[in-house]
Structures are given as structure tokens and as C-alpha cells.
Amino acid sequence: MRGNVYSMIMSFLLAGCLCACSHSAAVTANSSAQVFNQSATPVAYQLADNYFIKNTVTGLVPRHISSSVEFARYFGMAATMGKNGKPTPIDFAAHDVIVYDAGIVQKQLEVTPLTLNYAQDKLILDVSICSGARQSYQMHPFVILIVPKNLPDKVEFKLLQP
């Protein structure tokens, strides 16, 4: 019990410390992404919240998932208390998901999606990675984007670090 409370407190502190880092990274990364992707078409997306990668997953999660069965292989629901505590609903009849999986790490790591564009028959996701101090436990950072169905399966990530 005491270890769980400690982990929760450390998670809240980590989130607070990294918020400033992600904001400054977003401003810098957006500027460079707009110059690079002038011929790209922006793709609307919604972030999916309150999911976790199952501990049975040993490798990286696929970048593009188009069915609830495949999604359930990798993710579980992580409902929390409060107004926005339920997992974001995903209707796989109308939507797919794009996943950036940073893998299992033993340091503070914040992953923030910046832009998602369609160009040259692929999706290009600009992601800000803000790395922090080494920690005594492992975490599996990721981000899930809900996108319209029938987009290309090929997804490319452009990692931007502040």
C-alpha cells in the first residue's frame, strides 16, 4: 500500500514537472513541422485517454490499429475517479487508432503529439519527446490518436526533442 501511494505521488510530481517542458517543445516543434510539411494535408484526431498497455505486451504496439479485437490485445481500460475518469470511447466502425509507443523505459518521459499530416500516401505524426531523470521503476509511455477510418496504414513518426 505504501509503495502504491509513493508511486502515485511521484507520478503527479512527474506530470507537474514535465508540463512546462512539453509546452516549450510544442512551440518549437510546431514551427519546424510547419516548414517541413507545407505540402502535407492536416488530419484531424482526438486523443484517447485512460488506457494502459497490458503487461503481457513484450514488444512495441502496432502503429495503426483498425479493430477493437486487435486493440484489446494491447490495451486495457484505466478508469479513474473524477469528471474525465472514463476511457475515451472508440468506435472502430468509423475510426482507427494511431499509436506511438515509446517502449519500456526507466526514466521520466513525456510523449506529446504535435501534428498529424497526410503526405505521400502515408501519415506523418510529429511527436515531442521530453526526457527526464532516471527513476527506480519502469514505465511504458505511449499516446493514442483516434483518426477517421480509411487512412493509409503506413505511419511515420518524426521525433522532436526540446
Side-chain angles (χ1 to χ4, degrees):
M1 176 76 175
R2 188 173 180 188
N4 290 339
V5 172
Y6 178 75
S7 294
M8 288 176 54
I9 291 171
M10 291 306 294
S11 296
F12 286 123
L13 289 174
L14 167 66
C17 292
L18 294 178
C19 282
C21 177
S22 69
H23 176 69
S24 64
V27 172
T28 305
N30 275 336
S31 301
S32 62
Q34 288 173 353
V35 171
F36 181 80
N37 292 327
Q38 287 178 350
S39 64
T41 304
V43 176
Y45 66 86
Q46 177 186 4
L47 285 175
D49 292 322
N50 297 331
Y51 289 95
F52 64 90
I53 295 178
K54 293 179 176 180
N55 62 4
T56 55
V57 175
T58 55
L60 296 178
V61 173
R63 295 175 176 207
H64 189 222
I65 298 176
S66 57
S67 75
S68 60
V69 172
E70 185 180 8
F71 187 81
R73 251 186 257 151
Y74 300 100
F75 294 98
M77 295 183 178
T80 59
M81 301 214 25
K83 181 181 170 186
N84 297 320
K86 292 183 180 178
T88 307
I90 303 170
D91 175 11
F92 281 98
H95 297 97
D96 289 346
V97 296
I98 304 298
V99 180
Y100 174 76
D101 180 358
I104 297 172
V105 297
Q106 199 165 350
K107 62 182 174 180
Q108 296 171 343
L109 194 68
E110 182 178 339
V111 179
T112 306
L114 301 173
T115 60
L116 179 64
N117 292 299
Y118 172 76
Q120 302 167 351
D121 294 327
K122 63 185 170 188
L123 294 173
I124 303 168
L125 176 61
D126 294 330
V127 180
S128 171
I129 305 292
C130 189
S131 183
R134 187 166 173 77
Q135 43 195 28
S136 61
Y137 57 92
Q138 293 180 335
M139 61 186 284
H140 199 152
F142 66 94
V143 65
I144 302 172
L145 280 60
I146 303 170
V147 298
K149 201 126 192 87
N150 300 324
L151 289 172
D153 289 341
K154 187 172 182 186
V155 179
E156 180 181 305
F157 299 122
K158 294 205 185 298
L159 305 180
L160 308 166
Q161 297 180 345

